[in-house]
Amino acid sequence: MDRFANPPTAPTTRTLTLAVPTVSSVSPTSGPATGGTPVAVTGTGFTGATAVRFGTTMSTSFILDSDTHITTTAPAGTGTVPVTVTTPRGTSAQFVTYSYGPVTTPTLTSVSPASGPVTGGTTVTLTGAGLTGATAVRFGATAATSFTVVSNTEVTAVAPAGSGTVQVTVVTPGGTSNAVAYTYSVTPAPTLSSVNPVSGPTTGGTTVTLTGSGLATATAVRFGTTATSFTVLSDTHLSAVAPAGTGTVQVTVTTPGGTTNGIPYSYATTPVVSGVSPSQGPRTGGNTVTLTGTGLAGATAVTFGATPATSFIVVSPTQLTAVAPPGAAGLVDVTVTTPGGTSAQGTGTAYFYVDTPALTSAEPSSGPIEGGTAVTLTGAHLIEATAVHFGNTAASSFTSVSDTQLTAVAPPGNAGSVQVTVTTAGGTSNGVSYTYSAAPVLTALSPAQGPLSGGNTVTLTGTGLARTTAVTFGTVPAAFTVISDSHLTATPPPGPAGPVDVTVTTPGGTSPAVTYTRTPPPTI
């Protein structure tokens, strides 16, 4: 055999081909001709980028944030130019543009608040024009502790420490703005110690009481960054109307002495109830019901229809338990109220008040101790039956036929009477009597023989005879009269000569047989 007939297969070399980069957007899409604007470039295939260009001018610096994002700084330029990204795999070819606008000197029209404490720390809002690209905010000769460009017409800045009245200016690539006055006040800064309530609906409108010190000269109340209307009640109290909002924000008060510390205020969403379990209960109430849904934290009320729950416990934002109050038979909707509002009625909120079942009869009213008897129970409010008991023992099975009738199979029991009851969500019915009977026993017949023609009277002695329903001689029923639980008389029917089994039947069963003998008349 040629050992080189099947040489091993040469290894396969795979070359990974990476895509040419693409640019899908830039933000912002314009800036001053002097350049210097931070620009975010979004696209694909940026890994390994070697250059970012604005037209033919290369950006002086850029940061590769990810394969899909680059942060760069616009160089100086004019007109509208395409922005491209170059990698070892090529240069993007999408026509995504950046526009250079004319250099505009910034202007300021106002500063709010116009004063604050000498310790600084006050957040002020500067309003004007041409503020995009701001590179500095100064209070006199001192730079702001920090600042944020909100838009071309608004900048927020944190005042540094200072004294007296200083001129606030903003510097952009277009120059330095005109100045607006800001006064450092020796008035003590206000403080906040509490807000009440601490939450409300996202739609706003909640009246909130703010407690603290130095509030008498309040010039603004803000929920987060949103100013709202307010009323000064005293130096330690004011009330404000919460604006619309979401999440948790800090409530602050501004006075000439500065801005207070923040106190949290939460915007609560409207609660939703999606499940009620159990969904029915007795008119008397008192049962515990579990409600599931969303936004249930902070619940202030639970109502069944228009009636408040007897009590309730918030388990989590998605679950609470409530004790149902009494109510009229029928359907009600369960609702939950929180600072965010009241849940809507609808799917999953229904709760039924159910009438207590009532029984009027059981038929048959007795049966054998081994059970198995099908008993028809008649009454009212039976259709929602969850259990049937014979005394303390559950029925072997039961079937609701209608709201006024059900059938139940009697379980085994001891001889004697028990109360049959029906249980529904509305409670447990009154009891009706059902008697367990032991099978009858015959111990003697007197006389134990008689003529073929029958018609004579025979006394049967035994136990459990009081409820006798049949006496048979062989298979033929006989007329009978119950005298007591231990005696009855019977009239034997006609029959052929010889012995025959005599039995007694009661609701407890059929007795063991005793022998009766028919004898022919004597031969003459």
Side-chain angles (χ1 to χ4, degrees), residues 23 32 63 66 70 83 90 128 164 169 353 369 372 423 425 435 449 458 494 505 516:
V23 173
I63 298 172
S66 69
I70 288 176
V83 179
T169 56
Y353 281 102
I369 58 176
T423 300
T435 301
Q449 57 184 12
V458 177
T505 299
Y516 176 81

Side-chain angles (χ1 to χ4, degrees), residues 448-450 452 473-474 495-502 514-520:
Q449 57 184 12
L452 303 180
F473 283 69
V500 63
D501 286 334
V502 181
V514 293
T515 301
Y516 176 81
T517 303
R518 292 187 181 93
T519 59

Side-chain angles (χ1 to χ4, degrees), residues 373-404:
T373 303
V375 180
T376 298
L377 302 176
T378 303
H381 315 305
L382 307 180
I383 194 67
E384 299 288 344
T386 56
V388 177
H389 285 86
F390 285 67
N392 294 322
T393 306
S396 299
S397 64
F398 66 90
T399 302
S400 293
V401 178
S402 68
D403 199 45
T404 59

Side-chain angles (χ1 to χ4, degrees), residues 109-317:
T109 55
S110 66
V111 56
S112 178
S115 62
V118 295
T119 55
T122 303
T123 298
V124 299
T125 299
L126 306 176
T127 305
L131 306 182
T132 298
T135 57
V137 175
R138 294 188 175 90
F139 286 67
T142 306
T145 303
S146 64
F147 68 91
T148 301
V149 177
V150 179
S151 67
N152 192 52
T153 60
E154 184 177 311
V155 169
T156 60
V158 176
S163 61
T165 298
V166 297
Q167 300 299 310
V168 181
T169 56
V170 175
V171 179
T172 72
T176 299
S177 72
N178 59 299
V180 290
Y182 179 84
T183 301
Y184 285 98
S185 171
V186 293
T187 303
T191 62
L192 277 183
S193 56
S194 67
V195 299
N196 185 40
V198 295
S199 61
T202 56
T203 53
T206 302
T207 299
V208 179
T209 299
L210 311 182
T211 303
S213 62
L215 307 182
T217 57
T219 56
V221 175
R222 290 182 173 85
F223 284 67
T225 59
T226 306
T228 189
S229 60
F230 65 92
T231 301
V232 174
L233 304 176
S234 68
D235 193 55
T236 58
H237 291 84
L238 57 79
S239 64
V241 178
T246 58
T248 299
V249 298
Q250 298 294 313
V251 181
T252 57
V253 177
T254 299
T255 72
T259 298
T260 65
N261 54 296
I263 299 290
Y265 179 87
S266 297
Y267 285 98
T269 56
T270 303
V272 173
V273 174
S274 57
V276 177
S277 180
S279 59
Q280 56 185 8
R283 292 193 308 168
T284 53
N287 55 311
T288 298
V289 179
T290 298
L291 308 182
T292 54
T294 58
L296 306 182
T300 56
V302 177
T303 58
F304 287 67
T307 306
T310 303
S311 63
F312 65 90
I313 297 172
V314 176
V315 179
S316 71

Side-chain angles (χ1 to χ4, degrees), residues 8-15:
T9 303
T12 301
T13 300
R14 297 182 179 178
T15 302

Side-chain angles (χ1 to χ4, degrees), residues 9 15 53 81 97 103 148 169 178 186 205 230 309 336 349 370 405 426 464-465 490:
T9 303
T15 302
R53 291 183 175 85
V81 298
T97 61
V103 176
T148 301
T169 56
N178 59 299
V186 293
F230 65 92
V336 175
T349 67
E370 61 266 24
Q405 188 179 95
L465 308 182

